[in-house]
Amino acid sequence: MSSDNSLEQLADVIESRKLANGGDPEKSYISRLFSKGNDAILKKIGEEATEVVMAAKDGDARKLTNEVADLWFHCMIALSAFDLRPADVIAELRRREGLSGLEEFALRKAQQRDKDGE
Ligand SMILES: N=c1c2ncn([C@@H]3O[C@H](COP(=O)(O)OP(=O)(O)OP(=O)(O)O)[C@@H](O)[C@H]3O)c2ncn1[C@@H]1O[C@H](COP(=O)(O)O)[C@@H](O)[C@H]1O
């Protein structure tokens, strides 16, 4: 199974856990998080990102894998809250393929200068 498929399958589960789709905060962690609102979801992303940094600093590869999984999972809940899908993020990454980060940065700065000069 491709990783794209795994992410899309998890996104389907997350979608099904929305309260509007019958998700039950008593039975589902995801539904409980949705019931707490966007701030709670974003707070979890901040916590999980910090845990990723700590695991990497500790040099603990297994912990890093677990923490990145937690981070991706909570980012997917945030995407779902904004009615976005993993495919939207993958499309954005594909759009960037072949464009060096440094080139992209220079392009963005030039566009900003043009905009400021308007
Ligand atoms: N991939 C995950 C997944 N990853 C992490 N988590 C939960 O995310 C929570 C956050 O972890 P923390 O380390 O912050 O622990 P916590 O107990 O919440 O800590 P505090 O917030 O209380 O500080 C934990 O309860 C994990 O169980 C997940 N919960 C669900 N899934 C997937 O979502 C599916 C549906 O889950 P439910 O919505 O619970 O049915 C599952 O079958 C899984 O496939």
Side-chain angles (χ1 to χ4, degrees), residues 15-31:
E15 202 58 30
S16 76
R17 298 301 201 255
K18 284 184 171 174
L19 307 190
N21 295 333
D24 181 351
E26 293 299 318
K27 294 185 182 148
S28 153
Y29 170 80
I30 300 167
S31 301

Side-chain angles (χ1 to χ4, degrees), residues 7-21:
L7 293 178
E8 287 297 334
Q9 280 175 14
L10 179 56
D12 286 342
V13 172
I14 290 171
E15 202 58 30
S16 76
R17 298 301 201 255
K18 284 184 171 174
L19 307 190
N21 295 333

Side-chain angles (χ1 to χ4, degrees), residues 48-110:
E48 302 301 352
T50 303
E51 283 168 23
V52 167
V53 173
M54 283 160 42
K57 286 291 238 181
D58 289 348
D60 186 334
R62 190 177 167 78
K63 203 168 156 203
L64 180 59
T65 307
N66 282 330
E67 298 303 350
V68 170
D70 278 350
L71 179 61
W72 285 14
F73 170 67
H74 286 90
C75 285
M76 286 182 64
I77 297 177
L79 286 174
S80 175
F82 286 85
D83 292 324
L84 291 165
R85 301 280 307 190
D88 294 303
V89 179
I90 288 161
E92 174 57 21
L93 290 171
R94 293 219 166 109
R95 189 189 66 75
R96 298 176 188 180
E97 265 173 21
L99 180 65
S100 143
L102 294 178
E103 279 173 51
E104 186 275 337
F105 182 75
L107 204 62
R108 197 151 30 89
K109 286 287 157 199

